[in-house]
Amino acid sequence: MTSTLFDLRGQVALVTGAAGGLGESTALAFAAHGADLVLSDRHADALDTVAARCRAAGVRTQALVADLGDASEARSLGARAVGVFGRIDTLVCNAGMQGPAGPLLDASPQDWNQVFQVNLASAHALCAALVPGMAQRGTGSVILMASIAALRGNRAIGLYGLTKAALAQLARNLAVEWGRQGVRANAIAPGLIRTPLAAGLIADDAFMARRLAMTPLRRVGEPHEVAGVAVMLAAAAGAFVSGQTLVVDGGTTISDGS
């Protein structure tokens, strides 16, 4: 059993936001563990590059360009993804955006609509399209990319935090509603990870001094350390994990800063 705990051979996974950052790392990790892949992003050239790297690992891979900020494209992506290989066994909702920085009450209606559409509504649309098929087959895994911004207040990116908190709740609700049919749903809450999204923060020496002082491991996380958790949640190793938000932050959220 130990040799198959993280084996994804025979699975088909859909990974959104796959052209870079955590989505790219997750796609490559799934490919390395044997999953066939449907990859989605709005950046076609970068997506094709990631898809080629996954194929080089020996798995079937199809790239589907989609802008999840467009509600109609988000609604249609699930059916398009199923049409590639006939089913989706694992859904990884990674596509997201930070949105405006600043006080939450300054966010405009347009800001709310955009950030909630990309981060939350698109995930809901994909779950609505794909979870019933998983339930019919009696197995499936939904993985929603949240953030430690979902777990505490934030003076700069409150709107982002709201959507990520909602994703964690979506995972809990899906786990309760669909568990009897064998579908598991979980969220991952990364801390500061070395991705393009975090490049500005990592380049800020004053910020980094504060952040690392309150992170017991005293370093930034790497994308593969988040991708590994996603592999576990999709594989036999995570078969009894559902409705959870797994924090991958080097201990930041449990530290008193000492």
Side-chain angles (χ1 to χ4, degrees), residues 171-172 174-176 179 183-186 233 238-245:
R172 288 187 286 267
L174 291 172
V176 170
V183 179
R184 297 179 295 109
N186 294 282
L233 290 174
F240 204 51
V241 181
S242 195
Q244 303 305 305
T245 298

Side-chain angles (χ1 to χ4, degrees), residues 14 16 88-93 123 126-127 130 134 141-143:
L14 169 61
T16 69
I88 296 294
D89 303 299
T90 294
L91 168 63
V92 182
C93 291
L126 287 169
C127 290
L130 298 175
M134 296 177 186
S141 178
V142 175
I143 303 167

Side-chain angles (χ1 to χ4, degrees), residues 15 28 44 53 79 150 179 211 236 248:
V15 181
L28 293 173
R53 293 179 66 191
R211 172 55 66 91
V248 186

Side-chain angles (χ1 to χ4, degrees), residues 22-230:
L22 295 180
E24 176 183 6
S25 185
T26 299
L28 293 173
F30 272 53
H33 287 80
D36 292 326
L37 292 164
V38 181
L39 305 181
S40 176
D41 202 287
R42 63 190 180 95
H43 299 292
D45 291 344
L47 183 64
D48 285 341
T49 299
V50 176
R53 293 179 66 191
C54 292
R55 292 188 197 103
V59 300
R60 297 181 299 168
T61 305
Q62 178 66 50
L64 296 179
V65 177
D67 180 358
L68 297 186
D70 182 320
S72 63
E73 291 193 34
R75 287 193 297 268
S76 67
L77 178 58
R80 292 173 62 201
V82 169
V84 175
F85 297 126
R87 70 182 195 281
I88 296 294
D89 303 299
T90 294
L91 168 63
V92 182
C93 291
N94 169 75
M97 64 177 295
Q98 177 183 292
L104 180 59
L105 299 186
D106 289 348
S108 69
Q110 292 76 20
D111 293 331
W112 278 75
N113 290 339
Q114 183 181 32
V115 178
F116 269 82
Q117 170 58 42
V118 174
N119 292 0
L120 180 63
S122 69
H124 177 268
L126 287 169
C127 290
L130 298 175
V131 167
M134 296 177 186
Q136 276 192 331
R137 294 186 297 276
T139 184
S141 178
V142 175
I143 303 167
L144 307 175
M145 199 62 70
S147 166
I148 62 171
L151 307 176
R152 59 187 189 179
N154 192 300
R155 287 179 293 182
I157 51 172
L159 191 55
Y160 173 84
L162 281 175
T163 62
K164 296 301 184 176
L167 285 173
Q169 182 61 33
L170 178 59
R172 288 187 286 267
N173 268 83
L174 291 172
V176 170
E177 293 175 12
W178 294 92
R180 294 181 184 182
Q181 288 97 335
V183 179
R184 297 179 295 109
N186 294 282
I188 302 174
L192 184 62
I193 309 295
R194 198 182 308 278
T195 65
L197 182 65
L201 294 176
I202 293 173
D204 184 333
D205 291 340
F207 170 84
M208 288 301 295
R210 294 192 302 271
R211 172 55 66 91
L212 296 185
M214 59 190 292
T215 300
L217 291 184
R218 295 298 193 266
R219 66 175 178 85
V220 174
E222 302 297 335
H224 71 268
E225 294 172 319
V226 178
V229 176

